[in-house]
Amino acid sequence: MKRFWLIVLTGSLVALAGCHSFKKENIQPPTPLAKDFKPTVQTTKVWTARVGHGAGVSGVRMQPTVVGGVLYAASTDGVIAAYDANTGKTLWEKKSRTHGWFGWGDKKRPDAFYSGGPAVAGDLLAIGTLDGHVYGINVKDGSQRWSSTLPSEVIDSPAIAGPLTIVRTQDGRVYGLDSNTGERRWVNDQGNVPLLSLRGNGPLLVANGVVFFGSDDGKLIALRLDNGDKLWEQKLASGEGRTDIDRMNDADGSILLDGSTLYAGAYHGNLTAVDGPSGRPLWARPFSTYTSLAASGNSLFGTNIDSQVWAFDKSAGADMWKSDALKYRWLTAPAVQGDYVVVGDIEGYVHWLQTGDGALAGRERLSKKAIRAQPVVAGDLVYVEDVQGHLAAYRLGAK
């Protein structure tokens, strides 16, 4: 169990924002948004919906997924649903709730504390829970196909790779489960999880028969998909510092794959390009982040721990531009929608920046609640979810 939740990544900071106590708590206040901002791109909110109460104060990033024109989303209070990705129409919704702890009493409580978000492949949806379960669900109607019990919470999306569903737990283990039955086929134990660690795990990447992920001790790790054996590991951060907090070096973002090259970042670490087959580093540069990266063309995009948005040259890691306009707004990981980088912030705003120079181009407000999960781009729409389960789809147009 991770012992430390960095305050800026949990509901605690949202509470601080509400009572304007950033100075008292020695936390930098969000950079004010310009009231005279003039957008250079037209943004249209196409539809909105709500899935349960979202992530709440759990500290997890509840990210939806879009597959085959359907958006799937879930909440930690036991709601999972499918929506038409173009219109927002609810296709099905399941609520896992009982009365009281033993099926009686007045107060309703969830049976399934869904977390991280769903993974979908074919007719299977897989999702983990905060109490260490993984469920296999039929994507057509939300009915349960199987369940698997693991010894620790699952706070990020599984990865479905044909006959195997790969799941990572908070105690440092990675499991290969049978996609048809949920039965355990293999387990890889990374050893002890650091006592001080950020709240979060990066999504698993499965490609070419290999499972890639970033570890809590700042490593990029490659496992064989068929049996879970380790192929190689590469350091993304040194773990050096005077205090335990300084030595935290989680790699909590997703791993990007472009051709045979992997890109990954780490807290108090580096942005690193790695040769996928061998694990050999190609280049590295200092860049501290606890979120995922995004890529478009020859550019990599990331948000650092101060919520500055950066663009890097993919081939060598050189700086292309940096934007301070949203500094300390505790931005999400970036996504790329056409010619724009999309991020959400702690006050429920969605921002679009030009990929060419980082200039602010558009702004919408989803809600007054923090957005923590990386926006999801599918087709010409971007989908955003806040910590209270509010969902919205946005389309860009000419200004």
Side-chain angles (χ1 to χ4, degrees), residues 266-287:
Y267 187 67
H268 291 159
N270 294 314
L271 172 61
T272 306
V274 177
D275 177 68
S278 67
R280 177 177 57 89
L282 303 176
W283 56 257
R285 53 150 303 137
F287 186 68

Side-chain angles (χ1 to χ4, degrees), residues 27-50:
I27 297 173
Q28 291 287 352
T31 298
L33 299 178
K35 295 182 179 179
D36 60 349
F37 171 70
K38 295 181 180 179
T40 58
V41 64
Q42 180 182 345
T43 56
T44 303
K45 186 181 290 186
V46 179
W47 59 260
T48 60
R50 186 172 186 183

Side-chain angles (χ1 to χ4, degrees), residues 48-69:
T48 60
R50 186 172 186 183
V51 55
H53 290 89
V57 296
S58 67
V60 301
R61 303 168 192 156
M62 296 297 289
Q63 185 181 48
T65 188
V66 179
V67 177

Side-chain angles (χ1 to χ4, degrees), residues 188-207:
N188 180 282
D189 190 350
Q190 295 300 310
N192 294 328
V193 176
L195 291 178
L196 292 182
S197 183
L198 301 180
R199 176 66 165 170
N201 280 332
L204 298 159
L205 169 67
V206 179

Side-chain angles (χ1 to χ4, degrees), residues 10 23 52 113 133 140 170 190 245 261 265 285 287 290 303 306 310 355 385:
T10 67
K23 185 175 181 180
F113 300 87
H133 289 87
K140 295 182 179 180
Q170 281 290 84
Q190 295 300 310
I245 292 178
T261 302
R285 53 150 303 137
F287 186 68
Y290 50 79
T303 55
D306 291 328
W310 288 70
T355 55
E385 180 177 351

